[in-house]
């Protein structure tokens, strides 16, 4: 039996990189998308591009850390358009301080609050209506760093590992209710976030390629999809090595992460 096509979609982190590519990947006649991000100008431009492809678009300039505002917007959208698919994509990155000193407190807190807290805020806004309807899909954008931590990105890796664990737990809880959960673990994807990553980025792919791969995984209701294949396979295999050898493998991923200019005033 063919799987039902999602007609009502919520997407966080929509205003750049993978988020923009996902919005355009899903934009098609008969669909309505709620685009969530912080930048209203980018959201307006993206909404126009989505509508140019025949879909309807609504947008909400909300920080996913603002639980009350996010829940209110998502609940109102769900009341108008019962949500078939929620893509919890919003995320930020960060790394060590100057001269490989410890991470700044604000940067570490931000990564946990957005990468994990924002995912939880997004899911909990919609999970009960989905559960009670007995249908729906939840897709969580994690990272290969959530499967094997990067040595120069402690908080990013830990926050994405928590997203992976959260997704596995959600899947076990929600499967009997007819709600599927897919955990997406991309490697290096060309984006403004990736541009701040000063180090090796093996098998880097475009945001459009990543969005297509994510969509296919969601359509087949994969439990977890890690990609690209060669890099994901290497990550899985090094997990079988003794820690000393695994650490040597990960030295090839040493990097410096430029500060995120969007949060300079926080």
């Amino acid at each position: 039996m063919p799987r039902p096509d999602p007609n009502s979609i919520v997407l966080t982190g929509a205003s750049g990189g993978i988020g923009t590519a996902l919005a355009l990947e899903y934009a098609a006649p008969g669909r309505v998308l709620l685009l969530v991000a912080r930048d209203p100008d980018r959201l307006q431009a993206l909404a126009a591009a989505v509508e140019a492809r025949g879909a309807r678009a609504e947008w909400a300039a909300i920080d996913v850390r603002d639980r009350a505002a996010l829940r209110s917007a998502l609940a109102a959208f769900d009341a108008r358009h019962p949500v078939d698919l929620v893509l919890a994509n919003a995320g930020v990155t960060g790394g060590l301080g100057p001269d490989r000193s410890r991470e700044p407190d604000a940067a570490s807190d931000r990564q946990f609050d957005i990468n994990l807290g924002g995912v939880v805020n997004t899911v909990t806004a919609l999970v009960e209506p989905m559960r009670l309807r007995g249908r729906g899909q939840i897709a969580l954008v994690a990272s290969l760093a959530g499967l094997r931590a990067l040595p120069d990105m402690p908080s990013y890796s830990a926050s994405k590992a928590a997203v992976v664990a959260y997704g596995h737990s959600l899947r076990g809880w929600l499967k009997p209710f007819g709600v599927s959960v897919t955990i997406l673990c991309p490697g290096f994807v060309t984006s403004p976030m990736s541009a701040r990553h000063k180090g090796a980025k093996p098998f880097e792919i475009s945001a459009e390629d990543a969005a297509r791969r994510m969509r296919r995984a969601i359509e087949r209701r994969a439990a977890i999809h890690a990609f690209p294949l060669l890099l994901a396979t290497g990550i899985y295999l090094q997990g079988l090595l003794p820690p000393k050898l695994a650490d040597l493998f990960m030295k090839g991923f040493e990097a410096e992460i430029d500060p995120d200019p969007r949060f300079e005033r926080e």
Side-chain angles (χ1 to χ4, degrees):
M1 292 288 292
R3 298 192 184 280
D5 202 34
N7 294 320
S8 177
I9 300 171
V10 168
L11 170 63
T12 65
S15 64
I18 292 174
T20 294
L22 281 168
L24 297 176
E25 179 69 22
Y26 276 99
R31 287 201 174 114
V32 56
L33 283 74
L34 175 62
L35 310 171
V36 179
R38 301 198 318 161
D39 190 321
D41 294 333
R42 289 185 179 181
L43 286 171
Q44 283 184 299
L46 178 58
V50 165
E51 294 189 336
R53 297 192 177 201
R56 287 183 291 158
E58 300 183 20
W59 59 270
I62 298 173
D63 190 320
V64 293
R65 292 173 289 184
D66 188 341
R67 179 182 296 168
L70 185 64
R71 283 185 173 174
S72 177
L74 268 55
F77 180 78
D78 186 72
R80 298 190 301 274
H81 312 286
V83 174
D84 300 310
L85 169 64
V86 54
L87 289 150
N89 168 69
V92 294
T93 189
L96 300 176
D99 300 320
R100 298 183 63 77
S101 60
R102 72 176 183 86
E103 291 179 287
D105 292 339
S108 180
D109 291 345
R110 184 186 310 124
Q111 290 171 84
F112 281 104
D113 291 345
I114 294 175
N115 296 354
L116 177 59
V119 165
V120 174
N121 291 343
T122 302
V123 170
T124 53
L126 294 168
V127 69
E128 277 302 290
M130 284 183 162
R131 186 182 70 85
L132 294 174
R133 287 193 292 265
R135 60 180 176 83
Q137 292 182 266
I138 297 170
L140 310 181
V141 179
S143 169
L144 285 181
L147 302 179
R148 179 51 163 100
L150 295 171
D152 296 323
M153 303 172 69
S155 294
Y156 179 80
S157 300
S159 64
K160 291 299 188 177
V163 171
V164 172
Y166 184 61
H168 284 311
S169 182
L170 285 176
R171 190 178 64 255
W173 165 40
L174 295 171
K175 185 175 181 180
F177 295 99
V179 178
S180 67
V181 178
T182 296
I183 305 163
L184 300 162
C185 295
F188 296 102
V189 176
T190 303
S191 66
M193 181 185 294
S194 177
R196 294 189 296 103
H197 185 106
K198 307 304 183 183
K201 293 179 276 190
F203 306 107
E204 184 173 12
I205 62 175
S206 70
E208 292 75 18
D209 187 5
R212 287 190 294 269
R213 295 175 190 231
M214 290 178 173
R215 179 178 176 177
R216 289 196 294 266
I218 293 166
E219 286 176 345
R220 68 174 187 270
R221 284 172 166 72
I224 184 168
H225 181 57
F227 64 95
L229 179 60
L230 286 176
L231 185 56
T233 300
I235 293 292
Y236 280 125
L237 289 178
Q238 67 79 39
L240 303 176
L241 298 173
K244 287 185 178 180
L245 291 179
D247 288 346
L248 287 174
F249 173 84
M250 296 306 295
K251 280 187 68 66
F253 294 93
E254 289 184 353
E256 294 183 5
I257 313 301
D258 289 343
D260 192 329
R262 297 174 299 174
F263 300 101
E264 287 180 348
R265 297 181 180 178
E266 289 191 1

